[in-house]
Amino acid sequence: MPNFSPDLAKNTVQAFLTSQFDKKTEKEQRQLAKAIEDNDLDKISELKEKLSKFEDRYSLEVWMDNAANRMTKQIGFGTHISKGIHSSSKGDNINFDPNTALPKAVVGHQSIKNHQLDASGNAAALPLYSFFEFEVQDGKKVKDYIIENDNSFELSLSSDPDLSKQYFKAFRQALVGKNKQPITSEYNKQTLWPHANKQYTCIIPLYPSSLTNIVFQKIQHIKYSDETSSKRKNRFSNKEDVIQAAYPTISDIAVVQLGGSNPQGVSKHMSTQGGINYLLPSLPPTLTRYNTHFKPSKFATSIFSNALEKRVSPTLLKIFSAIEIKPNNVKVRDLRKQAMDEVLTQIFDYAHYMQNELPAGWSKDQVNLNDSEKFWLDPKRAELEGEESWKEKREAEDWHKDIIHSYARWINSLLQKKFKDIKDGFADTEHTQWERDMQAMIDLYERAGKGVFL
């Protein structure tokens, strides 16, 4: 990292101290402005005296002396913290800077390029953490220049060059100092690792705070970013001018809460995260193309609904993309046909789940579901006692054609909604084609011994 001018270094330090002073005296400064406006001389004198004490506390010489000689001894920095194992631990933190890479299939601390140091200890010393995290220029922070041994910064901490160098050394030791004899605590856990010569190594695990902080930030962004929140809100909108789009979700997340009601007692990262640490599932992947568990809502009139549209939306996008390709040649039509078949495959998989996995008679609770789809999706209901008339009706009616017709009408409505400018192009001819496509897929399933209509 290149050096920068001494003036910029001094201005940065002064800007930090000013920001700390303003933050600490925000209330008093507002009161002073009001007292001046009211010409309240006694109040003005009282507040100026009070602010004068704060100005002295946040002057360069006083603050830096306090930070270098006291705060550095009251707070510990590191990528791995002891209090993450137990909040009462007095053990040392470690700043782990690995020089070896992990295997490709393994994720760990070494996978992070830019580690965010954590800090734990006396809360009164946390302003030192804020100083190290104060931005200088182009995203670079005070700690970056200290770690890089920047000469300009070394002389910006006091008007006395010798004192400034002494403070700089203390700060750098706090950030990167290698602890040759780290201290553990009775609250830390121990693992005895045996060796072949009947000796062992005592391993003291520390909490990988820098890694868990990165994971927390990424998951928070995926779940709660403005973009995701907007797309999630639009999902339930019926307004025509609202654009609905896919957004990522992460399921099966566990949460470990550190620090109880006082996460700051664990570390700075824990305070920022509210003590929340996310755990992703450590399970073998489910080897299915998609989740086949699907059932219409209690008040749905048909399976061919908005809920089904959302379930098959990735495949629908393939259909839309194929329709948009020009010219409409054989290759493009094959792409569209393949995507249509994928939609039908998913629908048949959902139907198979409802026919075989849901309890017989489940459709009795479906208040508005049409009879044809009840006949299709709940065939075992006909075997139940008291359902003789329902069975006779199922066997007498030609409900299979209703299903095929409903599918074709649903596909046409989706295409008309997507392509408003050419919606008249999706009419009877296309409707008939979608019916043929579904019948062809049903015949294919029948020949394979997989009945669609049981």
Side-chain angles (χ1 to χ4, degrees), residues 332-360:
V332 172
R333 288 194 293 273
D334 286 344
L335 286 174
R336 185 180 63 201
K337 176 64 166 58
Q338 182 180 351
M340 286 287 189
D341 288 347
E342 286 184 35
V343 170
L344 284 167
T345 299
Q346 285 184 250
I347 292 173
F348 291 169
D349 284 347
Y350 296 145
H352 182 271
Y353 165 74
M354 286 181 270
Q355 291 166 343
N356 295 278
E357 299 296 331
L358 295 181

Side-chain angles (χ1 to χ4, degrees), residues 355 376 394 399-400 403-404 438 442 446 451-454:
Q355 291 166 343
W376 175 33
R394 182 177 187 271
W399 51 268
H400 309 77
I403 303 300
I404 297 173
M438 186 172 192
I442 291 171
E446 294 286 352
V452 174
F453 298 137
L454 302 182

Side-chain angles (χ1 to χ4, degrees), residues 165-183:
K165 290 180 181 180
Q166 178 183 323
Y167 298 158
F168 186 88
K169 183 179 179 181
F171 292 152
R172 194 167 188 279
Q173 176 65 26
L175 287 171
V176 301
K178 301 299 181 182
N179 195 335
K180 296 180 180 180
Q181 291 184 319
I183 298 171

